[in-house]
Amino acid sequence: MKFLFFTNTPAHVHLYKHVVRDLEDRGHDVRILAREYTCTVELLEWHDLPYDVYGACGTTKGSLVSRLPAHYVRAIRLARRFDPDLIFGMGGYAAHTGAILRTPTVLLIDSEPAAFDHAISTPFARTVLTPNTFRKDLGEHHYVFDGLKECAYLHPDVYEPNPDVRDALDLGADEPFAILRLNAFGSQHDVGKQGITGTERRRIIEQLAEEVTVLVSDEGDTANLEGLPARSFELHPALLHDALSAADLLVADTQTMVTEAALLGTPAIRSNSFVGEDDMGNFVELEKRGLIRNVASPDAICDEIETLFSGGATGDVADGADTAVDDLYQRRRDEFLADTVSLSDLLVDVALVDGFVDELESVRQLGQHARPERSESMGVGSD
């Protein structure tokens, strides 16, 4: 069979990389259509994945709109040339390409606020998959799995941290460090949203630097670190998860990387204007499980940093208690992951049944109760 995958962001590369390799190993013909956005192509090259670029856009909100027509024309042309049997993606590009080619499409969606994208994409999908934490009904073809999208690449079945990442970061073996991750807020569903501003970044960096070495990962490349006690994260982006796994703390105004920290057992503080009563279900659940903290204001970030490093409230961190903290978060992480599927294996199963998922044990229609005993995925370990 022939399978086509859309990777519009770096996170999509991680989502599908093991699935692509597994399907290739099984003798199937696989192709990726990629949008050149931040480090998407760099990651495809790093992982030696088969891809074509259908277009590019920057990190500003207006960058994508003017290029959409050309993106669609090239994506449809490339897809028609490949002639897939099944298409995977996360939104409009995949769904509309599938509709025009009359090819069934599987959408994997995990962001409730992207209502416009849901409205224009889900009617064209054979199957819509979401995490079981997803808090919207996307119609009769909406199925859920136990876990999060990041389980496709950070589940213990497919991920093991690189123990040499500290050397690559020029950090001592026991040198504590934190990562400050800054989002570009350039996606369609980011319109009207914001994260940590320039003045707030300075306050956070200065407070963190009193306790740890500070590394800044800036998606939009707009942070001015001159005169601040911090340095840029300068490793290849493919090594970011290894660095995150070794970090003592993540502070971020982004979404995906906070989830990644939780699945790696790294404490995380998330702050942006998505936080609130209508927040996304995965972040509500991760906070409930003690893996992350969601706060709405910069002052709250500083309060959480102080609490975390002073051992207050939950007793998470105290002087000389780094090992206890690691054990605590790793235990919470292990308990959370024990209830999840290896998503890469599940997506291989979905591909092999041509997107008809009713008979798969690892998924169920939205609203159905979880099965009391989850069968092992039909797929073989991805790597």
Side-chain angles (χ1 to χ4, degrees), residues 20 47 169 182 203 231 260 271 310 360:
V20 169
H47 293 292
L169 289 168
L182 303 172
R203 288 175 54 200
R231 54 187 169 93
E260 292 169 342
S271 180
S310 66
L360 296 181

Side-chain angles (χ1 to χ4, degrees), residues 59-90:
T59 56
T60 60
K61 292 182 176 68
S63 177
L64 175 60
V65 176
S66 62
R67 306 184 189 194
L68 273 175
H71 285 184
Y72 270 102
V73 169
R74 182 161 173 77
I76 292 165
R77 183 183 299 133
L78 289 168
R80 181 174 283 121
R81 184 183 306 164
F82 181 66
D83 191 24
D85 297 298
L86 188 66
I87 296 174
F88 285 84
M90 294 194 71

Side-chain angles (χ1 to χ4, degrees), residues 17-23 25-26 152 157-158 342-346 348 379-383:
K17 62 188 179 185
H18 295 298
V19 184
V20 169
R21 288 172 179 160
D22 196 331
L23 290 171
D25 289 344
R26 294 167 181 260
D157 287 356
V158 296
S342 179
L343 183 56
S344 286
D345 287 350
L346 170 57
V348 169
V380 176
S382 299
D383 61 359

Side-chain angles (χ1 to χ4, degrees), residues 165-166 169 171-180 208 211-215 231 233 240 242-250 266 309 322:
V165 71
R166 281 185 170 273
L169 289 168
L171 293 168
D174 299 318
E175 182 177 353
F177 73 100
I179 297 175
L180 174 62
L208 285 171
E211 306 286 348
V212 295
T213 299
V214 182
L215 305 180
R231 54 187 169 93
F233 179 89
L240 188 55
D242 299 319
L244 185 58
S245 178
D248 294 86
L249 175 65
L250 170 72
T266 298
F309 284 109
D322 291 346

Side-chain angles (χ1 to χ4, degrees), residues 144-273:
V144 301
F145 59 90
D146 292 328
L148 305 172
K149 119 176 159 292
E150 292 77 8
C151 289
Y153 53 95
L154 293 179
H155 194 279
D157 287 356
V158 296
Y159 177 75
E160 185 173 339
N162 179 353
D164 299 324
V165 71
R166 281 185 170 273
D167 291 338
L169 289 168
D170 195 25
L171 293 168
D174 299 318
E175 182 177 353
F177 73 100
I179 297 175
L180 174 62
R181 171 65 171 180
L182 303 172
N183 192 10
F185 286 89
S187 299
Q188 175 267 327
H189 59 264
D190 290 329
V191 173
K193 302 296 184 179
Q194 67 176 20
I196 302 170
T197 66
T199 303
E200 295 159 358
R201 295 170 185 176
R202 176 176 293 273
R203 288 175 54 200
I204 292 165
I205 288 171
E206 290 176 343
Q207 182 175 1
L208 285 171
E210 294 178 3
E211 306 286 348
V212 295
T213 299
V214 182
L215 305 180
V216 179
S217 172
D218 179 19
E219 184 183 42
D221 198 26
T222 60
N224 180 7
L225 302 182
E226 185 175 356
L228 289 175
R231 54 187 169 93
S232 296
F233 179 89
E234 296 180 346
L235 299 187
H236 192 283
L239 300 176
L240 188 55
H241 296 141
D242 299 319
L244 185 58
S245 178
D248 294 86
L249 175 65
L250 170 72
V251 178
D253 60 9
T254 186
Q255 314 283 33
T256 299
M257 199 163 163
V258 170
T259 309
E260 292 169 342
L263 298 191
L264 292 168
T266 298
I269 301 169
R270 165 179 171 262
S271 180
N272 55 42
S273 50

Side-chain angles (χ1 to χ4, degrees), residues 252-314:
D253 60 9
T254 186
Q255 314 283 33
T256 299
M257 199 163 163
V258 170
T259 309
E260 292 169 342
L263 298 191
L264 292 168
T266 298
I269 301 169
R270 165 179 171 262
S271 180
N272 55 42
S273 50
F274 287 103
V275 174
E277 291 183 2
D278 296 324
D279 205 351
M280 286 164 268
N282 58 322
F283 297 112
V284 173
E285 179 64 18
L286 290 173
E287 184 167 52
K288 178 182 175 182
R289 302 291 284 263
L291 287 163
I292 69 170
R293 289 168 170 80
N294 299 302
V295 299
S297 71
D299 287 340
I301 297 175
C302 294
D303 290 343
E304 290 291 348
I305 292 172
E306 182 177 357
T307 298
L308 204 59
F309 284 109
S310 66
T314 60

